[in-house]
Amino acid sequence: MLTQNLGYPRIGTQRQLKKACESYWSGKIGLDELHQVARTIREENWQTQLKAGIDLIPCNDFSYYDQVLDMSMLLGVIPPRYAPVSGVKGNNEIDLYFAMARGYQRDGLDITAMEMTKWMDTNYHYIVPEFTAKQSFKIHSEKVFNEYTAAVKTLGDKAKPVLVGPVSYLLAGKEKEQGFERIDLIKDLVPVYVEIINRLQQQGARWIQLDEPSLALDLSKRDKEAFEYAYRTIASQVSGVKLLVATYFEALLDNTQVAVNLPVAALHIDLVRAPEQLDEVLALIPANLQLSLGVIDGRNVWKNDYEKSLAQINKALAKLGSDRVMIAPSCSLLHSPIDLDQETAIDAGIKNWMAFAKQKLNEVAELKQITEGNQALLDANKKAIESRRTSKKVHKQEVKDRVAAITDADATRKSAFPVRQQLHRERFNLPAFPTTTIGSFPQTDDIRQLRAKFKKGDLTPEQYEKAIEDATVEVIRWQEELGIDVLVHGEFERNDMVEYFGEQLDGFLFSKNGWVQSYGSRCVKPPVIYGDVSRPQDMTIRWITFAAKQTSKLMKGMLTGPVTILQWSFVRDDQPRDITTNQIALAIRDEVVALEKAGIGIVQIDEAAIREGLPLRKAKRPHYLDWAVKAFRVTASGVEDKTQIHTHMCYSEFNDIIEHIAAMDADVITIETSRSQMELLHAFAHFEYPNEIGPGVYDIHSPRVPSKEEMVSLLIKAADLLPAQNLWVNPDCGLKTRKWPETKAALENMVQAAKEARELISVASAI
Ligand code: GLN
Ligand code: ZN
């Protein structure tokens, strides 16, 4: 029985790649130094996997920025707008590559970056390939061949080059002109894959991994035919090398027939996300196909339950025999933090339940040893799993009871929206087109340094709090001068909208070095939810009430919603996601109630991540949306009618989920609309969205200052589509990443735009 790995984190154990890339971009280091850092990371990764005893070890899983962009370089899918970059004297292939990822603004050129989007349902973002109707493909980059040559020196015939497979590569991209469908490019694309595979075979490769995660998506008939065509053609034109098709993140379901019948040597399936698919795959698998069992969770931080995995492995062994079974992580370990051994501050008991990428490799190897009779390894694992299952650190009966007792009434405001709206109008007496912001104000270096110094102990709590208070007062004065109607406190005390709450809730822990690549050089360090979540004390009252006292204007309380906290954390794998979400929902609900008691009349609960939690398969979406929306409602419904609940979402596609957004029943929703020129408001208009809404009129993703006129025209558009008396005026999102000068200028214009809208647009008075 072989063991294998599908991919390993490439940022380096100390995020060396991030630092090297950023230094290269700013001109602090040269190309040689950048390449050297990359070589060292690759070599270290190979050694780690070798030492763990893995039989098939990936190469070309390394990437300077993104593996899909690597494929575009390999296949010569380079949008023509980048041609001048290669013409600049002194530029190398990698400068073209980074230009595609990040845009290019020097040497008299100003070229936009390629689009970036989420890789399936992960928080990893890839660079979207751009296709034209006459798209040509040809080998353009030598990276995969060079990396294979280097890998062989360390790994010998264990080296397994990894490529994104042809169908998933096409599906991951986008048509840049009309009149064709990208999947139809398969006929032109396949010959290049044949050429690449043949070259690798000639270099000595024995296995090649082709990632086809789209086999886990809803596929059209044409997509399925493309799979059959591509692999049939490849199989007929290559020999002497075994192809492994890797699927992950979901069950194959209706694609099972297609997947198991591809003429390849092996198929990898994800048995963590979809354990139930093993039976069907085993029932349909043709003779000779090898099956790689993804039993170790590549996307989470928990120790594998060996007994569970062994049950699956043994089932496969019984049917296929050891020659046809492989053991592997469920997907590339790119999505895991690297090394748990580096974490010295995590409670030893809890640490014993965890595994990062390096530890997961050992788990793969250990599972194999257990099938060969090593009982001691199994016993040790059973002990750890049992201790987690029964630990008081994890299990709090009161929390479980409270979640079990949630009723529909808990998820429903006392009165319907029109009644609440009337109360709010009387209570707040806001003008038409009230102005507000989404919460954060620029986090200057000064503010960041305050936090860093405080963490290090260079500032006393008193000094730190005083400095944050000063910043808060300043931003309140400034909003007053400007004439904003509903103020915010600026969120200066918060590092991150999830971490801030995680640090104060029971059931969360934080790693020191658990970084995961999000895109390019950007890494995130998600909190870990290990136990039942509860709220031992108030979390935001101190800052919101301090802020409210500084002004006679309305001060909005600011919270992060349960689904967003869940989505941006490593979550428990020992209970369903909806249960964890409900625990968080109850904790945040208590905070909302506490804010109301403290006299705060308006509370915003950010649910930035509801949409990204959508399951990959359409059939699973209604169930997810039901519990996600209900969790929000639980959070929002503990208060009296007089309290106005806002929510915020920073994206723009609502068409397919609008009824669920409406079902959240927030009194006010603020959304991102400025770049789409209010286009997405059509979804709300068509649905006749009943509650109040603040379509963003200021694109906060760019330093550009929108003019008053621009914003007025957006408001006119919005008022054409929705009842003017329901409209708010606000930016697309928080202003944390912006600088002060542009923020001030833009918000000044925004307030003026609201004033003008009040004169230009007639608003139905009372309801
Ligand atoms: N309240 C948060 C802020 O203003 C919201 C951020 C977000 O939606 N991503 O920063
Ligand atoms: Zn946002």
Side-chain angles (χ1 to χ4, degrees):
M1 186 164 55
L2 292 177
T3 56
Q4 70 155 338
N5 185 29
L6 304 188
Y8 201 71
R10 58 229 181 184
I11 54 179
T13 49
Q14 306 298 324
R15 284 181 296 154
Q16 299 93 316
L17 186 64
K18 169 194 179 66
K19 290 163 200 165
C21 282
E22 289 173 359
S23 301
Y24 179 75
W25 297 334
S26 64
K28 286 195 201 102
I29 65 169
L31 196 52
D32 289 347
E33 205 174 320
L34 176 63
H35 283 327
Q36 186 52 48
V37 171
R39 259 197 303 274
T40 308
I41 292 172
R42 287 195 296 261
E43 189 60 35
E44 253 180 51
N45 286 355
W46 290 332
Q47 293 290 352
T48 304
Q49 295 174 81
L50 211 48
K51 247 184 245 146
I54 304 296
D55 297 317
L56 297 179
I57 298 175
C59 64
N60 199 45
D61 57 335
F62 175 84
S63 176
Y64 281 98
Y65 202 96
D66 163 45
Q67 73 271 10
V68 181
L69 180 59
D70 291 357
M71 286 307 301
S72 294
M73 290 301 278
L74 171 59
L75 300 166
V77 182
I78 300 166
R81 68 178 179 281
Y82 297 103
V85 176
S86 308
V88 173
K89 214 177 135 229
N91 270 357
N92 286 291
E93 180 180 298
I94 199 155
D95 299 301
L96 169 65
Y97 173 82
F98 285 140
M100 290 161 72
R102 310 178 60 238
Y104 195 89
Q105 275 185 315
R106 49 175 206 264
D107 308 313
L109 299 171
D110 185 359
I111 311 174
T112 55
M114 291 169 75
E115 209 178 293
M116 185 167 78
T117 197
K118 282 154 65 69
W119 179 237
M120 310 289 284
D121 62 352
T122 70
N123 271 327
Y124 175 82
H125 300 70
Y126 72 94
I127 303 288
V128 181
E130 294 179 12
F131 300 121
T132 55
K134 297 223 167 64
Q135 186 65 51
S136 66
F137 302 94
K138 62 168 189 306
I139 295 181
H140 175 88
S141 155
E142 292 294 307
K143 174 180 178 279
V144 59
F145 310 111
N146 295 339
E147 272 182 35
Y148 178 73
T149 305
V152 170
K153 292 195 186 119
T154 304
L155 302 175
D157 59 15
K158 293 190 160 84
K160 174 191 60 173
V162 180
L163 301 166
V164 179
V167 180
S168 294
Y169 175 71
L170 286 179
L171 292 180
K174 212 174 159 173
E175 292 89 356
K176 285 308 266 194
E177 56 191 15
Q178 306 234 308
F180 77 108
E181 278 191 44
R182 61 192 186 283
I183 196 65
D184 296 332
L185 298 172
I186 194 77
K187 293 215 160 66
D188 300 310
L189 178 59
V190 162
V192 187
Y193 271 82
V194 168
E195 204 183 328
I196 294 164
I197 293 167
N198 277 327
R199 266 185 73 181
L200 287 166
Q201 185 271 329
Q202 280 151 25
Q203 284 183 273
R206 304 218 286 179
W207 279 96
I208 294 174
Q209 174 183 325
L210 294 153
D211 283 4
E212 292 283 13
S214 54
L215 276 169
L217 300 180
D218 297 315
L219 294 178
S220 69
K221 190 161 162 275
R222 226 145 142 194
D223 299 337
K224 290 185 191 176
E225 284 164 6
F227 266 110
E228 282 157 0
Y229 168 81
Y231 285 88
R232 199 173 57 232
T233 310
I234 292 172
S236 70
Q237 294 181 37
V238 306
S239 59
V241 60
K242 292 179 175 167
L243 301 183
L244 166 96
V245 166
T247 69
Y248 37 82
F249 301 153
E250 245 305 349
L252 294 167
L253 296 173
D254 55 323
N255 303 327
T256 309
Q257 281 287 3
V258 173
V260 300
N261 288 310
L262 294 176
V264 293
L267 176 71
H268 171 88
I269 55 174
D270 185 337
L271 294 178
V272 174
R273 273 299 177 85
E276 70 286 355
Q277 69 176 329
L278 180 61
D279 289 336
E280 178 158 24
V281 170
L282 285 177
L284 295 177
I285 195 167
N288 301 326
L289 184 67
Q290 288 177 245
L291 192 62
S292 167
L293 311 175
V295 287
I296 310 282
D297 194 345
R299 292 181 58 174
N300 212 331
V301 293
W302 304 108
K303 194 169 260 185
N304 187 251
D305 181 341
Y306 286 175
E307 254 189 327
K308 261 196 204 156
S309 298
L310 280 171
Q312 292 175 314
I313 294 168
N314 287 331
K315 202 186 253 182
L317 282 173
K319 166 100 199 233
L320 306 175
S322 60
D323 290 348
R324 287 176 60 199
V325 175
M326 299 185 202
I327 310 178
S330 59
C331 59
S332 167
L333 296 174
L334 172 68
H335 310 288
S336 297
I338 302 181
D339 186 6
L340 186 65
D341 295 341
Q342 287 185 44
E343 300 297 330
T344 48
I346 298 178
D347 172 289
I350 299 177
K351 196 170 153 184
N352 186 39
W353 307 330
M354 299 173 71
F356 289 179
K358 188 172 154 206
Q359 289 70 35
K360 288 173 191 289
L361 294 173
N362 287 334
E363 295 188 327
V364 171
E366 286 191 7
L367 277 171
K368 178 171 174 187
Q369 291 170 45
I370 294 169
T371 63
E372 294 162 353
N374 190 331
Q375 185 66 28
L377 288 174
L378 180 59
D379 292 342
N381 177 269
K382 270 191 196 165
K383 248 199 201 151
I385 299 296
E386 181 62 15
S387 106
R388 181 175 170 208
R389 207 177 56 74
T390 53
S391 171
K392 289 227 160 50
K393 288 177 192 151
V394 175
H395 303 282
K396 306 257 159 67
Q397 197 53 45
E398 350 46 284
V399 178
K400 294 186 205 298
D401 291 346
R402 203 173 158 209
V403 166
I406 294 175
T407 61
D408 284 344
D410 293 332
T412 312
R413 297 288 301 267
K414 294 193 172 60
S415 305
F417 173 72
V419 176
R420 302 191 316 255
Q421 189 179 35
Q422 192 56 44
L423 285 174
H424 301 157
R425 292 207 160 135
E426 285 158 16
R427 178 175 180 194
F428 302 130
N429 201 18
L430 287 163
F433 297 101
T435 51
T436 190
T437 61
I438 307 305
S440 59
F441 272 101
Q443 292 249 341
T444 55
D445 286 346
D446 286 355
I447 298 284
R448 285 180 211 280
Q449 270 165 24
L450 277 181
R451 242 190 328 266
K453 280 190 199 152
F454 177 50
K455 269 206 167 154
K456 264 206 218 138
D458 294 349
L459 282 182
T460 64
E462 294 74 29
Q463 287 169 322
Y464 171 73
E465 301 226 331
K466 176 75 176 59
I468 297 286
E469 283 184 356
D470 291 347
T472 307
V473 172
E474 204 181 311
V475 88
I476 291 170
R477 286 290 97 78
W478 182 74
Q479 292 172 85
E480 284 175 339
E481 267 164 44
L482 207 64
I484 300 238
D485 300 304
V486 175
L487 275 48
V488 297
H489 76 296
E491 302 184 17
F492 298 117
E493 79 287 11
R494 303 182 188 178
N495 31 10
D496 170 274
M497 64 190 278
V498 170
E499 195 173 316
Y500 182 76
F501 292 93
E503 277 175 346
Q504 303 190 73
L505 290 166
D506 281 351
F508 284 75
L509 70 84
F510 292 83
S511 66
K512 282 232 158 64
N513 207 33
W515 296 100
V516 180
Q517 187 178 13
S518 169
Y519 64 87
S521 69
R522 193 176 148 76
C523 302
V524 294
K525 193 158 65 64
V528 175
I529 306 177
Y530 68 88
D532 288 334
V533 175
S534 57
R535 169 184 169 276
Q537 72 278 311
D538 292 346
M539 301 186 284
T540 62
I541 309 299
R542 186 242 179 270
W543 287 109
I544 305 297
T545 53
F546 168 81
K549 265 188 229 130
Q550 312 304 315
T551 178
S552 56
K553 292 223 156 176
L554 290 164
M555 177 63 60
K556 186 158 63 164
M558 207 54 67
L559 303 171
T560 303
V563 181
T564 302
I565 293 181
L566 180 94
Q567 243 350 87
W568 293 349
S569 302
F570 285 116
V571 298
R572 291 173 63 175
D573 61 353
D574 60 344
Q575 70 183 15
R577 293 168 78 81
D578 58 327
I579 303 258
T580 307
T581 310
N582 277 330
Q583 294 182 354
I584 306 169
L586 288 172
I588 306 289
R589 172 187 172 103
D590 291 349
E591 187 73 14
V592 180
V593 170
L595 281 166
E596 178 181 68
K597 275 216 184 91
I600 303 299
I602 303 183
V603 179
Q604 177 173 315
I605 307 164
D606 291 327
E607 276 293 27
I610 281 220
R611 191 170 210 294
E612 68 181 60
L614 275 184
L616 292 169
R617 292 285 196 144
K618 285 206 180 74
K620 291 192 174 171
R621 291 182 185 172
H623 172 65
Y624 161 78
L625 286 163
D626 279 350
W627 66 251
V629 167
K630 185 163 179 205
F632 177 85
R633 294 175 57 122
V634 166
T635 310
S637 299
V639 289
E640 300 298 321
D641 287 339
K642 64 172 188 195
T643 297
Q644 187 176 57
I645 299 288
H646 291 215
T647 190
H648 164 72
M649 293 172 191
C650 26
Y651 43 81
S652 40
E653 307 120 69
F654 287 95
N655 283 313
D656 49 346
I657 55 168
I658 183 72
E659 61 185 292
H660 302 278
I661 299 295
M664 289 168 73
D665 196 25
D667 296 305
V668 181
I669 181 173
T670 56
I671 54 174
E672 175 180 326
T673 34
S674 72
R675 268 191 295 188
S676 73
Q677 295 288 308
M678 301 284 148
E679 216 172 88
L680 70 103
L681 279 191
H682 289 284
F684 287 84
H686 187 249
F687 185 78
E688 297 185 21
Y689 184 79
N691 300 14
E692 297 185 14
I693 176 165
V697 291
Y698 159 22
D699 175 10
I700 60 89
H701 299 95
S702 133
R704 195 176 157 272
V705 175
S707 67
K708 179 184 81 173
E709 289 70 29
E710 257 176 271
M711 292 193 260
V712 170
S713 79
L714 289 177
L715 289 171
I716 292 174
K717 268 193 195 168
D720 271 349
L721 291 163
L722 293 160
Q725 70 271 19
N726 285 353
L727 290 175
W728 286 62
V729 180
N730 47 263
D732 274 343
C733 190
L735 298 158
K736 188 154 97 181
T737 55
R738 294 269 59 87
K739 301 259 182 290
W740 266 115
E742 76 231 19
T743 300
K744 288 191 170 172
L747 290 183
E748 263 163 38
N749 292 350
M750 188 187 90
V751 170
Q752 294 312 317
K755 283 193 181 142
E756 194 158 316
R758 284 167 202 154
E759 281 163 23
L760 288 176
I761 305 167
S762 66
V763 175
S765 48
I767 30 171

